Amino acid sequence: MSCMQDINQNIQDNLANFHMAGIIPVSGSDIEANPVPWHRCLSQIGENLLAVERSVLECNFAGCESIWIICNEDIQPLIKYRVGDYVVCFESMARSKYVPYPQTKIEQIPIFYVPIPSYSRTKRDNIAWSILHGANEAFMVSAKISKWLVPNKYFVSFPYGIYDPRIAAKGKKLYFSEQNVFISHQNRTVAHNLYTGFTFRPSEFKIIRRKIKEECTGMSLIRSVEDRWSSRYYSLDKFYNCGNIENIQFIEVDCYQSCEDWLSYKKYLQSEMLDSITKYNLQKLNGF
């Protein structure tokens, strides 16, 4: 993974030019290990909603100005066929009701598709590393366009955890501050390996990456092949715990269900959540 460029911290903290990038980690050897007839991010969780589409809606509710989906070439065409290149911004839709020509005020949130580099696969290709790679790509691409587009914060939404995406809107005031937000269920968060949304800042990106690189074995030739690149087997709590991310505020969600495997997905289909999630339709929103 290439190093993030150093950008003046005053620019990153400038709330007048605040940019929060949404990160949706799809690919990762740990989540793709079990063979199933379809990719889990394409699990249908509503009548007109896929799991990855729920994550796009969550980033939209959170107020992200760009969305970065981390997926490899084998699954990218299918995701892009459903999700597209942009999503209509909820905030702009709400503001457009009070102007003479509403259609001119509707904004679009661009969606970018980022594959895991070939040299990182089988080495740093779990879902936790996918998040860092997505944040790094969002930073590097934005910085090449303009230093004022550099993300101030990253919002991570997992397509493998199901809950009402509208809950992300409750943290809007916290997102545009130095505080981070962890969405929790029964006092458990991503720090307990739940697939619930959370935020982190560029400065914390560097802390997480440095700590993981110091703890993992890397490409040490004195070790056996099985013991190399140990960080590939690190779980989410190893990367994104309360020690690596500071100033955390929690937003509790009442209903949560994982869809990372068949048993949990079947449990979701039998739950009452199915009726509440079915009301969302990304295709209808983009066709507005």
Side-chain angles (χ1 to χ4, degrees):
M1 179 184 298
S2 58
C3 296
M4 294 180 72
Q5 299 178 12
D6 292 328
I7 299 292
N8 191 307
Q9 192 64 40
N10 292 331
I11 295 176
Q12 293 183 349
D13 293 337
N14 188 346
L15 298 183
N17 297 280
F18 194 91
H19 172 201
M20 185 166 71
I23 306 295
I24 302 178
V26 167
S27 295
S29 58
D30 49 348
I31 199 69
E32 297 174 331
N34 298 325
V36 291
W38 64 90
H39 198 282
R40 288 180 180 81
C41 75
L42 298 177
S43 298
Q44 189 164 358
I45 62 174
E47 183 177 356
N48 297 291
L49 190 70
L50 302 182
V52 67
E53 292 178 323
R54 191 212 67 86
S55 290
V56 173
L57 289 174
E58 185 177 14
C59 292
N60 197 342
F61 279 118
C64 297
E65 295 184 1
S66 64
I67 299 175
W68 305 73
I69 300 179
I70 317 308
C71 59
N72 291 332
E73 299 86 349
D74 55 345
I75 193 65
Q76 184 264 344
L78 285 174
I79 298 176
K80 189 173 183 179
Y81 175 78
R82 285 285 304 200
V83 176
D85 295 315
Y86 68 91
V87 62
V88 175
C89 176
F90 286 129
E91 287 188 358
S92 66
M93 289 181 63
R95 292 193 302 265
S96 67
K97 295 180 180 180
Y98 307 102
V99 297
Y101 303 99
Q103 291 291 346
T104 62
K105 299 299 181 181
I106 301 283
E107 298 177 2
Q108 298 174 348
I109 303 172
I111 299 176
F112 303 92
Y113 299 87
V114 181
I116 297 174
S118 57
Y119 56 79
S120 291
R121 299 175 191 180
T122 72
K123 301 179 181 67
R124 296 174 181 167
D125 63 345
N126 63 7
I127 195 169
W129 273 113
S130 293
I131 296 171
L132 293 185
H133 175 62
N136 185 73
E137 288 298 307
F139 186 99
M140 299 294 284
V141 172
S142 300
K144 289 179 180 179
I145 299 173
S146 171
K147 64 181 180 181
W148 302 105
L149 294 179
V150 170
N152 305 71
K153 190 172 289 185
Y154 303 96
F155 180 89
V156 180
S157 176
F158 295 97
Y160 308 112
I162 307 172
Y163 52 91
D164 194 330
R166 193 182 293 271
I167 195 71
K170 290 187 176 181
K172 281 248 177 108
K173 293 183 179 179
L174 298 174
Y175 300 141
F176 296 90
S177 69
E178 294 185 357
Q179 293 182 311
N180 285 304
V181 172
F182 273 32
I183 296 176
S184 63
H185 174 63
Q186 297 179 352
N187 297 322
R188 300 173 70 236
T189 66
V190 65
H192 304 87
N193 290 320
L194 257 65
Y195 295 113
T196 51
F198 69 100
T199 67
F200 63 94
R201 302 174 66 214
S203 57
E204 289 153 340
F205 169 98
K206 298 177 182 179
I207 294 173
I208 296 169
R209 185 184 59 185
R210 185 183 69 249
K211 286 185 177 181
I212 295 300
K213 285 187 174 181
E214 289 175 352
E215 295 177 9
C216 75
T217 56
M219 196 179 175
S220 177
L221 298 179
I222 63 175
R223 298 179 180 272
S224 63
V225 175
E226 293 78 9
D227 293 334
R228 296 176 190 172
W229 304 108
S230 60
S231 62
R232 181 188 181 190
Y233 306 102
Y234 289 174
S235 54
L236 286 169
D237 61 330
K238 185 80 170 178
F239 283 73
Y240 309 105
N241 55 61
C242 298
N244 292 340
I245 300 177
E246 301 177 343
N247 302 326
I248 299 175
Q249 296 291 326
F250 298 94
I251 298 177
E252 183 73 10
V253 62
D254 295 330
C255 300
Y256 165 85
Q257 181 60 52
S258 169
C259 65
E260 62 179 327
D261 53 44
W262 169 245
L263 292 179
S264 59
Y265 179 57
K266 185 170 67 171
K267 185 177 180 180
Y268 162 73
L269 294 177
Q270 297 171 342
S271 69
E272 297 178 355
M273 287 181 61
L274 183 61
D275 293 333
S276 61
I277 297 296
T278 296
K279 65 183 178 182
Y280 295 107
N281 188 336
L282 183 66
Q283 305 300 316
K284 185 176 180 180
L285 174 65
N286 284 346
F288 174 78

